[in-house]
Every structure is written in C-alpha cells, then in structure tokens.
Amino acid sequence: MVALSVREGARQVMVWTVCGVAAAVLVACGGGGSSDNDSEKDDVLTILHINDHHSTLASKTATLQLPVDGKTTAVTVDAAGFPRVTAAIDAIAAQSTHVLKLHAGDAVTGTLYFNRAGADGEADMAMLNTVCFDAYTLGNHEFDKGDSGLKGILDRLKTGRCATPVLSANVQFGANSALNPSRAPNMVSPSTVVERGGQKIGIVGLTIAQKTKASSSPDKDTLFEDEAVAAQREIDKLQAQGVKRIVLLSHIGYDNDRSIAKKLRGVDVIVGGDSHTLLGPDAMKTIGVGTPGGAYPTNTTDLDGKPVCIVQAWEYSQVVGELKVKFDKDGVVSQCEGTPHVLIGDDFKIAGTAATEAQRTSIISSVNAAGFLRITAPSAQAAAVLKPFTEKVASFNVTKVAYAPQELCSRRVPGGEGSSDYSRSSAACNTEGSVSLRGGDIQQLVAQSYLEVANEHYGGADISLQSGGGVRIPLNGEVTAANAIQVLPFGNMLFRLDVTGTEVKGMLEDGLEAVYGAGGSTGPYPYTGGMRFDVNAKAAFGSRVTGIEVRDTTTGQWAALDQGKTYRLFVLSFNANGGDGYKTLASVPAARRLDIGVLDADVFFNYIESQPKDATTGLPALKRLSTDLYSTKSFVDAR
C-alpha cells in the first residue's frame, strides 16, 4: 500500500492506493482493479471538530500579516469566539452530506466564563448546545472540580436540547463517585454509534490517563485505564457488532495520537485534543496565525498497515476543522483531505483605521488565497445565548485592583522556546532572557504571595509552592478583578503542611520528574516562595535539584536546606493531595496537614491589597520580584 500526498492550496490530500497510481480526487487502478460500480460503493464522511476551547467563548482581536496591494501588511480583525464556531459548523454542515460534529475535550476552565458567569461550566454547556455535537469526549480539565463538579457540568449539558453523548472508554468511576454508573447511568459511555448514508460509524472516546490523575482532581477511586488497551477493547466490541468505520475521539495529545495509531487495529480516524496542536500548512506561520505542529490531516497507518487520518483543531475557539474521509466498499479509508478553518471577521483595520474599499478587496483576495482563513459572521442565535453570560463577566471585569508597570511574564518552565512553555505572554516576554533563565515572573509572584500572606494572616509559613501550569495568564498595565482571577482560575484551597527537609527535596524532585520524566508535561514545574535551587533537567530522577536554600522569614538570610528540620509549607490543596505528580506531599500524614480554608485567588487578592500604591494610578503596584527571590537560581535545559 502506498500513500501519495497531493497539495491543493491549504488542503493536503492523502490518497492510498494498492496499485501505485493515484489521482488527486479519485483513486483509479488499472487492469480492472476498480470499476464504476466499486466507486459508487465508496462513501464520504465530513467531520467537523473542535477541541480545547477552555471556556474561551468571546471573540478577540487578531493580527494577520497579509499581502495588501503587493505589500505584506499588519491587518487586525475580530476573530474566534464560540458564536463563530457555531456559525462555521452550521454553514459547512449545510453544504455537506454525512456530517459528524465532534468535540475532543477540555471545553471548560480557563476564563471567567467558567466560574464567574453562572454555575461552573454553565456557559460552556449552553454554547455546546448551540451546535449539538454528535459526541464530546472528556478531557483532563473536565475533572478540575472533581467527579461531583463534572456531574454538575454534564447535567447542564444533558438538560439542553441536544442530548450530546459524552464519551470516555478508559475512565472507571469509583464506587463513591457521583458519576458511577449506579448513580448516573449512561451519563458517560465508552462509545456511541451513529449512522450516516446508511453506514454505521463508531465513535470511541479517550481521556489522557496519567495527566488527568496527576494534574486534575478526579475522585481518588476514579481510575484511568491505559489508553491503547481501552481503545482496542471498544473497537473490537464495535466491530463485533458490524461497525466497520471507527473514529477515535481522543483527548490524549497529538504525539500520543500518532503513537497510539500504530498500536491499534481497526481505527480509521483520530480526532484529537489536549496538546493544543495547530495543524495545517506552513503559510499559517507566515501569515501570523501560529506555527503548525504537523500537516492537516496527518496520515499514518495502524498496526496492520491500514490508513489512519489524524486531525486536531488548535485551541480557544479559533479553528473549526473540516475533514473529508472517503471509505472504500470494505470500510477502509481510501482518501483524506481537509481544511483547518481559522475563523475571522471582516472588520479589517490597518494601523487602527478601517481598511478602504480598495484595501478590503485586496485583503479578501489574500484571505481567499490562503485557503485556511474563513470569514465568518457570529451566529446570531449563539450570540444571543452567550449574551447574558457576557454581561455577568463584564460587570465583574470592571473593577480595577492593581497596576503592573512592567509585564509580569508567564512561562511554565525556564529554558528554550516551545509553545507549551508559554501562557499568553507577549512576544517580547517570550523572547526575554530572564524567563529562559528563571522562569515566569507571574508564577514566581504567585508563589511569593502565598508565603507573604501566610505569614501575615494564616499562622506563618517558611516556604510555599505553586506549579507553573496553575498560573494561567501574565499581567501588564491595569489589572482588574477579572484579570487576577484569570491568573488563578481553578479555585483551589490552600493547605499548610509540616514537611521535613527530606520531604522538601522529594517534593521538588517529584515536580521535575512530572515535567521531564516519561509522559511529562510542563505544568508541574515547581515555583517556590522562600526557597531557591539549581536545576539540571538532564539529570536522572532524584538528582535534578541541587543547592537548595531556604530564606529566613525574619532576617532574610539564605541557608542550606536542613534535611532533618521541619518546615511549614503553604501549598494548594491540589498539590498537597498529590496533584501534578507531587507524590511526596500526598504521603504527608493527616497529623501534619491543615486545611487553611482560603481560596488561592483570595490569597492573591490579599497580597495585591498589601502592595504600595502606584503614584500615577493610585492602584496597588505589582512589580517583578528581585532576582534573589526567584526559586530557580540556575537551569540546565534537557533539550
């Protein structure tokens, strides 16, 4: 079997043939190997999909580098937003037959729409119900509020008009879970079967296992099975029922999707999420959309060498993926092609001024030539559903609480560049040397805020811990209450633990292992208040952290960590219970842990209120900490 790639504008068409001859649109083999009758038995499925919108429901301003009158020009335009997602899906579906609409997880958490515009997830589920997805798989962030919180979110989805199936083949809800099948029958299913054009299509859901258990908050007895084992079991079950066409709706990440395809038999398409991977042509980088991590679609083969098409639709309601899959009469993929539609409006501006008619004509020509930019007006119906939630967010947004005279850069880990290392900082911050040396300014400030507020209000602490991925946005200029909560959107309570020096060392090694060990991710990287250390990411587990020093809260003097001494640690409940891979903290006995009973965002607000006022704005000034207070003293990158 041979796969040939044919480029058509923004589309990459993959045609598989067993005779070595291919055309861009139809497969035709000589010597009587194919006939018109066989072609008539072929069928095409259109899959429209999104993933990882993370409560990002409103539109935003985007800047694109487009040819205008022969010159590359910065053009700003209103873009993204869930009402545009709804409109694009509706429009494409109306022009297609045999359509599947899929959401690959992480619909919730990340903006104020999640927890300040109504009940947790209410706005997101209302927006999902403007689309009526054929299936929605559980991502790791769906578990951020525990199983009970997820049950509430899914109840809001189920009470809508769509009755969207919620899938995960590898989650096993614990006996006491609110989502145990005995309490919530059919709330979450391993798979679902739909029929399109007289053909049955099986959709199997997957949730990333290790990351969800380590970095979210599922109930302790809710377990996540190996993804490949669970997927194959469900595929075999569907095939035994006569279902030939299998779509894996996967929230396990792009690299894992490519890996798992090789381990499975019978999967045809993988619609993915979790890694926030932009797929598409290289022109996306040139135009300023982003840097693609692979082709759309990405094509590989399964364990038996049969074709598998892999797609993902980036993040934050910016892209709707459109994948067209042709199957032969035996239900085997014969062709994949598609477009990742980047959703934009048509309110084009150049240097802040509305484009002239001549400029608009040139811009629209450039947009059409790109092939992946899609001018889309927001759905009026979806916008009407979103409006009351937007009004609630807007009323909360207006309160100004602080001023950051210099951008507090966000960087999950120090070291080299990589999209997962950043978190919505400006380009200047992302290339600044200080974040590569010491990590994020805002992450460090949050860790310091815990320490200082603990010593002011909550019985004192020697050190604090904040994992890098738990801090979501940078701050710059005027800071509203909404901005401050977006920094810490997950609503964690703070604990105080009495930990030995040996446990402190173990805690740091746990965090770095969760980053640099097998299956690691950038989120767990440790930021500490009142403590600093050297990191060698190339070293083995147990040897990555050296030179640990603790700062005396009274004198300000630094001294080497005493392995036998007991330190008071102020830390999120999430990490205290082992989240983000902090196993050492989870092992601290109950006698040495105290639930302080205060929210992380409230502690941050207390810190803000304690800061000296900015002379110009009269607001508390949030400034970068002095270099000696940053927890990472030196860093050797693993890359």
Side-chain angles (χ1 to χ4, degrees):
M1 181 173 290
V2 180
L4 293 92
S5 175
V6 183
R7 287 279 184 181
E8 292 185 343
R11 297 183 177 223
Q12 175 161 307
V13 183
M14 293 300 296
V15 184
W16 283 272
T17 172
V18 295
C19 59
V21 180
V25 178
L26 294 176
V27 176
C29 298
S34 180
S35 67
D36 290 340
N37 288 337
D38 287 340
S39 293
E40 289 172 3
K41 294 176 183 176
D42 286 355
D43 54 277
V44 176
L45 177 67
T46 298
I47 299 176
L48 305 177
H49 61 99
I50 66 170
N51 55 274
D52 294 276
H53 81 255
H54 281 290
S55 302
T56 308
L57 305 180
S59 64
K60 67 171 190 174
T61 298
T63 301
L64 303 173
Q65 301 295 325
L66 295 173
V68 181
D69 298 328
K71 181 181 178 181
T72 300
T73 304
V75 178
T76 60
V77 65
D78 189 67
F82 211 97
R84 276 199 177 88
V85 169
T86 303
I89 290 176
D90 287 348
I92 300 169
Q95 298 172 355
S96 308
T97 56
H98 313 326
V99 174
L100 276 185
K101 298 179 287 186
L102 303 177
H103 194 305
D106 274 7
V108 296
T109 74
T111 77
L112 293 173
Y113 278 101
F114 176 65
N115 58 5
R116 295 287 169 172
D120 289 348
E122 183 180 356
D124 294 295
M125 297 304 105
M127 297 313 293
L128 261 65
N129 278 325
T130 67
V131 173
C132 287
F133 289 96
D134 292 295
Y136 160 45
T137 200
L138 297 179
N140 52 297
H141 281 284
E142 268 72 11
F143 290 87
D144 281 348
K145 296 289 184 176
D147 290 20
S148 295
L150 175 55
K151 171 67 162 52
I153 291 168
L154 298 184
D155 281 340
R156 293 171 199 116
L157 176 67
K158 297 292 187 178
T159 55
R161 66 188 180 93
C162 300
T164 297
V166 180
L167 307 180
S168 181
N170 65 316
V171 63
Q172 300 170 357
F173 292 106
N176 298 314
S177 171
L179 285 167
N180 185 278
S182 65
R183 296 181 181 83
N186 303 315
M187 183 68 83
V188 178
S189 302
S191 65
T192 190
V193 176
V194 300
E195 190 169 302
R196 297 291 185 270
Q199 301 291 347
K200 291 181 178 180
I201 301 156
I203 308 168
V204 178
L206 277 187
T207 304
I208 190 164
Q210 179 180 339
K211 183 177 181 180
T212 304
K213 198 64 180 174
S215 298
S216 193
S217 300
D219 289 5
K220 288 185 177 180
D221 59 348
T222 289
L223 304 177
F224 297 85
E225 190 179 7
D226 177 83
E227 296 93 339
V229 171
Q232 190 64 66
R233 181 180 61 244
E234 199 62 22
I235 290 168
D236 292 346
K237 174 184 172 183
L238 292 170
Q239 290 184 325
Q241 298 170 0
V243 179
K244 293 182 178 180
R245 296 153 178 80
I246 303 293
V247 176
L248 191 61
L249 188 57
S250 153
H251 193 88
I252 66 173
Y254 178 62
D255 289 342
N256 289 329
D257 285 335
R258 290 188 293 173
S259 175
I260 201 172
K262 299 287 187 182
K263 301 175 182 178
L264 299 177
R265 288 187 167 94
V267 62
D268 299 300
V269 178
I270 300 178
V271 176
D274 182 61
S275 55
H276 298 219
T277 304
L278 176 64
L279 298 180
D282 293 339
M284 286 179 157
K285 182 177 181 179
T286 305
I287 286 176
V289 172
T291 302
Y296 185 101
T298 294
N299 297 275
T300 186
T301 53
D302 71 2
L303 189 60
D304 292 328
K306 294 182 178 179
V308 181
C309 310
I310 300 173
V311 290
Q312 192 173 142
W314 204 19
E315 62 186 5
Y316 306 143
S317 305
Q318 296 178 95
V319 168
V320 168
E322 177 191 6
L323 178 69
K324 292 188 179 295
V325 186
K326 175 167 286 208
F327 297 90
D328 67 17
K329 64 182 184 298
D330 297 316
V332 176
V333 174
S334 60
Q335 178 183 324
C336 282
E337 65 173 332
T339 302
H341 296 284
V342 179
L343 307 181
I344 61 172
D346 63 355
D347 59 330
F348 304 114
K349 294 181 181 179
I350 297 175
T353 302
T356 66
E357 283 305 310
Q359 288 171 330
R360 283 182 58 82
T361 300
S362 181
I363 291 168
I364 291 172
S365 176
S366 297
V367 166
N368 292 336
F372 52 81
L373 296 173
R374 182 184 181 93
I375 297 175
T376 304
S379 159
Q381 177 248 341
V385 172
L386 184 60
K387 183 179 178 182
F389 298 109
T390 300
E391 290 172 348
K392 290 179 182 178
V393 170
S395 66
F396 188 77
N397 276 341
V398 296
T399 306
K400 297 174 184 177
V401 298
Y403 179 72
Q406 183 180 16
E407 183 172 2
L408 298 167
C409 304
S410 179
R411 175 75 75 89
R412 291 188 175 194
V413 301
E417 293 186 6
S419 60
S420 62
D421 297 341
Y422 305 146
S423 184
R424 303 181 182 180
S425 292
S426 70
C429 261
N430 286 342
T431 56
E432 188 175 291
S434 63
V435 292
S436 292
L437 292 171
R438 295 185 294 272
D441 303 312
I442 187 63
Q443 279 85 353
Q444 191 61 56
L445 191 71
V446 167
Q448 186 69 21
S449 75
Y450 295 163
L451 181 66
E452 294 191 16
V453 174
N455 280 308
E456 182 70 24
H457 297 289
Y458 301 112
D462 301 300
I463 55 177
S464 63
L465 171 70
Q466 169 68 53
S467 51
V471 176
R472 306 302 284 185
I473 65 167
L475 294 176
N476 195 19
E478 290 187 343
V479 178
T480 64
N483 298 146
I485 289 178
Q486 282 179 289
V487 171
L488 297 164
F490 300 121
N492 282 290
M493 306 300 282
L494 278 150
F495 278 33
R496 190 179 72 219
L497 274 57
D498 293 333
V499 291
T500 66
T502 300
E503 288 169 333
V504 169
K505 162 73 169 168
M507 170 188 82
L508 296 175
E509 293 288 353
D510 285 344
L512 292 172
E513 175 67 11
V515 176
Y516 299 107
S521 60
T522 54
Y525 190 89
Y527 286 81
T528 59
M531 183 166 63
R532 61 190 186 185
F533 42 85
D534 301 296
V535 174
N536 182 353
K538 293 183 178 179
F541 175 55
S543 302
R544 294 190 177 104
V545 182
T546 58
I548 304 171
E549 297 176 297
V550 178
R551 187 171 183 262
D552 187 289
T553 55
T554 303
T555 67
Q557 298 299 307
W558 294 93
L561 178 76
D562 184 340
Q563 299 280 332
K565 183 178 176 179
T566 296
Y567 297 90
R568 295 167 300 172
L569 169 69
F570 216 50
V571 60
L572 298 181
S573 54
F574 171 67
N575 300 122
N577 290 318
D580 267 346
Y582 284 94
K583 300 175 182 177
T584 299
L585 297 184
S587 299
V588 174
R592 292 196 276 127
R593 58 174 62 227
L594 175 66
D595 183 349
I596 298 297
V598 61
L599 283 170
D600 51 6
D602 290 335
V603 172
F604 192 45
F605 276 124
N606 285 340
Y607 175 80
I608 290 172
E609 291 163 359
S610 71
Q611 299 308 295
K613 299 289 181 66
D614 175 74
T616 302
T617 65
L619 296 168
L622 288 180
K623 297 182 179 181
R624 293 183 183 179
L625 298 172
S626 61
T627 301
D628 67 305
L629 294 179
Y630 279 71
S631 48
T632 301
K633 292 189 291 182
S634 68
F635 182 81
V636 176
D637 203 330
R639 290 162 291 193

